[in-house]
Amino acid sequence: QMLLASPTLMRAMLAPVLVYASHPRWPWPFAPHDLGQYPLANQQRYGGGEKSKNESLLMPVEESGNMIICLAALAQIEGTAEFSSYWWPTITKWAEYLAKFGFDPGNQLCTDDFAGHLAHNANLAAKSIVALACYARLAEALGHADAAAKYAAMAKDMVPKWMEAAKGGAEG
């Protein structure tokens, strides 16, 4: 809704997360879950944030996927991926994380955090596939042809594998 109402507002919502995640004090190769307690951006509180030794307390696949998908949607609406270009190394780090861990996420939280930690989360895996395809579109828009081809192929190859894995060993 924010994106359709105002791309400028959407950029204003995404920028603080990108700035924080690009800062050396954020040690993780994935997007943060939050920036602190409202109304302060006084460091991530959920799961220990930058001080945590346990990334499973965070939402690495969930939030990295969310950010990449939102950035691709913004680029689609604006007709340019220029906004993403400012934080391209950070966004690339998130895509690499999803490529490595997103297809079969380990024991971690997702939006359904009330259910606790879940391994092999099908929703997170699907989000990773979509986010990798979105990253490929951003890369293409920014002139990174090799990365665009690599991540588009990766996302496309994951779809039938995901569908097979989603059967969970059941017939049909």
Side-chain angles (χ1 to χ4, degrees), residues 112-154:
D112 298 334
D113 59 355
F114 58 83
H117 290 75
L118 300 169
H120 318 295
N121 187 309
N123 291 339
L124 289 179
K127 181 175 282 189
S128 292
I129 294 167
V130 171
L132 291 172
C134 287
Y135 177 82
R137 293 186 83 178
L138 287 169
E140 181 179 19
L142 292 171
H144 303 292
D146 291 344
K150 174 184 171 182
Y151 283 89
M154 187 183 305

Side-chain angles (χ1 to χ4, degrees), residues 21-138:
S22 298
H23 193 276
R25 73 185 281 180
W26 181 251
W28 303 104
F30 49 79
H33 176 68
D34 64 68
L35 299 180
Q37 291 176 291
Y38 182 82
L40 305 173
N42 56 354
Q43 80 181 349
Q44 181 174 333
R45 296 289 187 212
Y46 197 94
E50 63 198 45
K51 296 176 182 161
S52 179
K53 300 278 190 233
N54 186 354
E55 73 180 59
S56 73
L57 296 175
L58 307 169
M59 294 185 181
V61 172
E62 181 81 38
E63 303 306 353
S64 298
N66 288 344
M67 288 296 293
I68 292 171
I69 292 166
C70 286
L71 289 162
L74 178 65
Q76 179 74 29
I77 290 290
E78 293 187 322
T80 178
E82 181 182 1
F83 181 77
S84 293
S85 71
Y86 301 116
W87 294 283
W88 194 244
T90 298
I91 298 165
T92 297
K93 193 174 6 173
W94 297 342
E96 290 168 352
Y97 183 87
L98 293 177
K100 188 172 182 181
F101 299 108
F103 180 75
D104 187 10
N107 195 33
Q108 60 183 260
L109 293 170
C110 68
T111 297
D112 298 334
D113 59 355
F114 58 83
H117 290 75
L118 300 169
H120 318 295
N121 187 309
N123 291 339
L124 289 179
K127 181 175 282 189
S128 292
I129 294 167
V130 171
L132 291 172
C134 287
Y135 177 82
R137 293 186 83 178
L138 287 169

